[in-house]
Amino acid sequence: MRRTMSQLMANASLIPGQDKLGVFHAGELYVQNRVGSAGSAAGLGADMISPRIDPRAAGIFEVCPHLFVASVQQLDDGSMKVWASALFGKPGFASVHQDFRHLEIETRIAAGDPLAGNIGVGAPLASLAISFEHRARYRINGRVVAATQDSVMLESLEAFPNCPKYIAARSWTVLAESPRAFEAAASPMKPRLEGKAMALMRAADTFFLATSHLERGADLSHRGGKPGFVRVSEDGSEVFWADYAGNGMFQSLGNIVSSGIAGVLFVDWASGSTLQISGKALVEWRDAGETKLDDSTRIVRLFVESCIWTQRQLPIKYYLPSDGASPFNVLLSGEGASDSEESLVTAQLVAMKPESASAKSFWFMPEGDAELLSRLANHRPGEYVTFELEISEKRVVRTWTISSAPASISGSEGLFSITVKREDSGLASRYLHDKVEVGQSFRVIGVGGGAAMSLFQKWNLPAVQKRDVAELLNGTTKHVLFLAGGIGITPMMSNLRALHLLISSSGSAAFDLPKIYMVLATRDLNAAPFVEDLLLLRKLGLLAGLCLAVSGTVSPASGLPASAGEVDLHSGHLTLEMLKRVIPEDGELSVYLCGPTGLMKASELMLADLQIPSGQIHSESFAF
């Protein structure tokens, strides 16, 4: 008989606590200092990493039929191996407990998977929930506090989200299910990779990396890229890949530097079969002038010691849409690279417009590959575009949210804009603000993502051509709150501009449109972007309410045009009382939140106090 949650947790208090360490251990700090991200990582770690599971993340666990975990195997000689494993089940088989400190996983482990022997009470265990379609992921690192044959309880010691970078936007559907549909058995463990396994890895756009630290325990992260980004030696004894730019905290590389071991997991998405590999690992650093791998000076090498192929035939069909590749994917170069393509799209800078004292919009006219041009012209509001820039003879890849409406409704023949705040420490933002000139051309290597920040649940071209606002806004609630901090307003402006153009060309009388309320928090009103646009949208009635919260010492009224009209000016930081004035008391509310990490955390706490369900809060961080 399956035991209850309280029964499973009865002995949890008997397990010794984790040593009190800083946010990062020595290995992580070593990598951060070598790369130069220690300062930003310290801020991110303090803001993002917590033992408490974010209530909003519970939704990711509840809707996915998969969960990926990392466990540590203790060998008889005192050494360790770390393994990454895949768990499958009906959506909801992994669920966050109401105390937001525990994750319960109800599934049978495949016979032959080392995970079965690695989950005794007190053992380190890490989990990664990932919604591929929405490019959302959440990590929980902790320890096992209870385990039965078909259930494991994980206590969170570190819980934190990750950015949407490099995630292939796979969708899935459940097929007819047999009673034994989720069961699987592994083939005998082997010391080297063979043909089928090597072919799977070389074609992969996704894998999962398990690492561990003696005091901190296990960790599991996602890795993604263009097919071919994982290289395999001809004899199957070594796997290596470039470490791409991420959040700069370097948990995985820090663990590898400290422990010298790693494990990887590859999934055959057609069947659900999996390949697990464990072995020794190291981080190879390449100096300036040496040949880079995919433009990276950091390379991870995994020396295969053990590998396991597990045959499955899941009742789940995964599929990758034609536009599902990540817009962040890096072009392959160096050893084993298959990329030789020229620039797919070139975007010529045709205009620049100041939006505030520190933000500027850059307007581009693209030309080149027809498919990518179509993706740009029909981008869903909220999506971002990835550029490849050359700055001081260095290749720099940066992604910015598109701030214009899709060209398919604006009649601008492909014209699009990004809006960038100048940061003193920002290499790319300083380059755009200080160096570029109208007429210059830049390479565009992708467009996509941003689903969390779109009012439009779909961007269907026939519906756009018909101006069928009701179909495009399918799923949107009666009331919408856009809550932005500074430049975090850019995805919201794309949404508002798209909605304005649709309505102005079709008329709104026939549609039950949501009432949209805008709250923009800024330190200085003169530095707040799009204030004039917001005032116009308020005057036109597209915005049902507009609130500007100015936390700096400058008078909020300074810089506001005389035509400000019905604007709620608030002097000081965003407060609960202020949100209460803005949020309507009746009707369901959807919240879209974007801005600096500190503002987002404070806003999430206030929204929780207002009892806004976590499933109705959509957010995106600019901290990656």
Side-chain angles (χ1 to χ4, degrees):
M1 180 181 296
R2 180 177 169 270
R3 290 190 286 169
T4 66
M5 174 77 74
S6 59
Q7 289 171 324
L8 284 168
M9 296 174 63
N11 295 321
S13 62
L14 302 179
I15 302 170
Q18 186 188 40
D19 291 341
K20 296 292 184 181
L21 300 172
V23 176
F24 300 113
H25 60 68
E28 294 164 330
L29 293 172
Y30 168 79
V31 179
Q32 292 169 13
N33 283 312
R34 181 154 186 171
V35 172
S37 67
S40 61
L44 277 180
D47 287 337
M48 292 173 57
I49 301 175
S50 169
R52 186 175 186 269
I53 302 166
D54 187 332
R56 292 175 304 140
I60 304 177
F61 291 88
E62 292 167 1
V63 300
C64 291
H66 48 253
L67 182 72
F68 305 97
V69 299
S71 64
V72 178
Q73 181 182 16
Q74 302 287 343
L75 302 179
D76 293 338
D77 63 2
S79 63
M80 297 184 297
K81 287 184 181 293
V82 61
W83 292 91
S85 302
L87 301 174
F88 297 98
K90 295 180 180 179
F93 77 91
S95 60
V96 176
H97 187 235
Q98 61 186 7
D99 67 358
F100 299 108
R101 284 297 308 274
H102 295 85
L103 178 71
E104 184 176 17
I105 307 166
E106 297 178 322
T107 187
R108 285 188 175 271
I109 299 168
D113 187 333
L115 175 64
N118 298 344
I119 53 174
V121 171
L125 186 69
S127 69
L128 171 67
I130 181 167
S131 174
F132 295 105
E133 186 175 14
H134 297 99
R135 294 191 166 105
R137 49 182 164 163
Y138 198 81
R139 286 153 76 172
I140 302 176
N141 299 343
R143 58 187 176 189
V144 176
V145 294
T148 67
Q149 185 177 10
D150 58 3
S151 182
V152 178
M153 185 70 64
L154 170 64
E155 179 187 26
S156 171
L157 297 174
E158 290 184 336
F160 53 100
N162 277 143
C163 71
K165 282 186 175 180
Y166 316 119
I167 299 177
R170 280 186 169 78
S171 297
W172 56 270
T173 185
V174 176
L175 308 175
E177 182 183 333
S178 69
R180 303 176 63 85
F182 290 101
E183 294 185 6
S187 301
M189 190 178 297
K190 297 181 179 180
R192 287 288 184 275
L193 296 167
E194 297 180 348
K196 178 171 64 173
M198 294 165 71
L200 174 66
M201 298 168 71
R202 287 169 174 155
D205 59 16
T206 301
F207 75 93
F208 302 91
L209 173 62
T211 60
S212 70
H213 182 268
L214 189 60
E215 286 87 13
R216 297 301 179 91
D219 178 76
L220 189 75
S221 62
H222 161 278
R223 291 291 186 270
K226 300 187 71 172
F229 84 109
V230 178
R231 278 74 160 186
V232 187
S233 65
E234 291 300 323
D235 65 357
S237 65
E238 182 184 344
V239 183
F240 62 100
W241 61 90
D243 183 64
Y244 297 157
N247 57 25
M249 294 193 290
F250 293 107
Q251 286 102 331
S252 296
L253 266 62
N255 284 349
I256 291 173
V257 166
S258 298
S259 69
I261 59 175
V264 293
L265 169 77
F266 291 82
V267 179
D268 177 356
W269 299 108
S271 66
S273 298
T274 56
L275 171 66
Q276 297 167 273
I277 306 170
S278 184
K280 298 288 192 300
L282 58 81
V283 179
E284 176 185 327
W285 301 85
R286 294 194 175 174
D287 297 325
E290 293 186 285
T291 302
K292 298 179 182 179
L293 188 67
D294 301 350
D295 203 44
S296 176
T297 59
R298 303 180 302 274
I299 300 161
V300 180
R301 295 188 180 273
L302 174 62
F303 303 97
V304 179
E305 294 180 340
S306 307
C307 54
I308 303 170
W309 180 275
T310 301
Q311 191 70 34
R312 285 185 170 93
Q313 196 60 54
L314 292 176
I316 304 169
K317 174 67 174 177
Y318 290 91
Y319 56 94
L320 185 67
S322 58
D323 60 352
S326 172
F328 292 95
N329 282 349
V330 175
L331 290 179
L332 307 184
S333 62
E335 303 160 59
S338 58
D339 267 348
S340 59
E341 71 237 69
E342 296 300 319
S343 177
L344 293 175
V345 166
T346 297
Q348 185 181 46
L349 181 64
V350 296
M352 295 182 285
K353 178 193 173 188
E355 302 290 359
S356 73
S358 60
K360 187 183 292 186
S361 287
F362 300 84
W363 287 86
F364 298 92
M365 180 61 73
E367 60 180 22
D369 178 74
E371 182 178 345
L372 190 50
L373 283 177
S374 177
R375 289 281 297 117
L376 276 167
N378 297 292
H379 76 270
R380 181 164 65 164
E383 288 189 322
Y384 28 78
V385 61
T386 303
F387 285 87
E388 181 182 273
L389 310 173
E390 186 171 329
I391 305 175
S392 302
E393 300 184 350
K394 294 176 62 176
R395 176 179 175 269
V396 177
V397 175
R398 289 293 187 272
T399 297
W400 289 283
T401 301
I402 300 173
S403 54
S404 54
S408 55
I409 59 168
S410 65
S412 57
E413 300 182 353
L415 198 67
F416 72 94
S417 71
I418 60 173
T419 304
V420 182
K421 178 184 177 183
R422 189 188 188 282
E423 301 281 0
D424 290 340
S425 59
L427 175 66
S429 71
R430 285 188 287 111
Y431 172 71
L432 288 180
H433 276 258
D434 303 344
K435 300 293 185 181
V436 303
E437 297 178 352
V438 170
Q440 282 184 249
S441 293
F442 305 89
R443 185 178 186 181
V444 173
I445 61 177
V447 59
M453 294 307 295
S454 187
L455 269 182
F456 300 86
Q457 301 305 308
K458 52 185 172 181
W459 191 257
N460 177 276
L461 189 54
V464 172
Q465 293 168 337
K466 293 186 298 181
R467 301 303 194 254
D468 192 342
V469 182
E471 180 180 348
L472 292 168
L473 293 179
N474 180 33
T476 300
T477 54
K478 184 178 179 181
H479 299 283
V480 170
L481 172 64
F482 281 147
L483 205 171
I487 201 65
I489 195 176
T490 49
M492 301 166 192
M493 287 306 302
S494 181
N495 278 275
L496 290 169
R497 287 167 167 170
L499 191 57
H500 170 62
L501 287 171
L502 284 169
I503 294 171
S504 61
S505 61
S506 62
S508 61
F511 306 116
D512 184 17
L513 298 173
K515 290 187 175 180
I516 303 174
Y517 304 84
M518 180 79 227
V519 175
L520 175 61
T522 180
R523 293 179 181 175
D524 180 354
L525 196 58
N526 293 317
F530 304 117
V531 171
E532 291 187 2
D533 297 76
L534 294 175
L535 293 172
L536 176 61
L537 293 173
R538 178 71 178 102
K539 183 177 180 181
L540 293 172
L542 182 61
L543 289 177
L546 173 60
C547 178
L548 303 176
V550 184
S551 61
T553 55
V554 179
S555 170
S558 65
L560 261 188
S563 60
E566 298 179 21
V567 179
D568 181 2
L569 287 175
H570 177 83
S571 182
H573 292 285
L574 190 65
T575 64
L576 184 62
E577 289 69 27
M578 178 182 152
L579 283 182
K580 286 179 180 178
R581 294 202 307 269
V582 176
I583 294 175
E585 295 182 2
D586 63 320
E588 189 180 0
L589 178 73
S590 289
V591 180
Y592 294 82
L593 173 62
C594 187
T597 304
L599 172 79
M600 292 182 65
K601 287 190 69 175
S603 300
E604 289 162 1
L605 291 173
M606 287 185 277
L607 292 169
D609 286 340
L610 292 170
Q611 298 183 330
I612 306 297
S614 59
Q616 293 168 209
I617 302 173
H618 315 274
S619 64
E620 185 169 85
S621 172
F622 280 8
F624 61 86

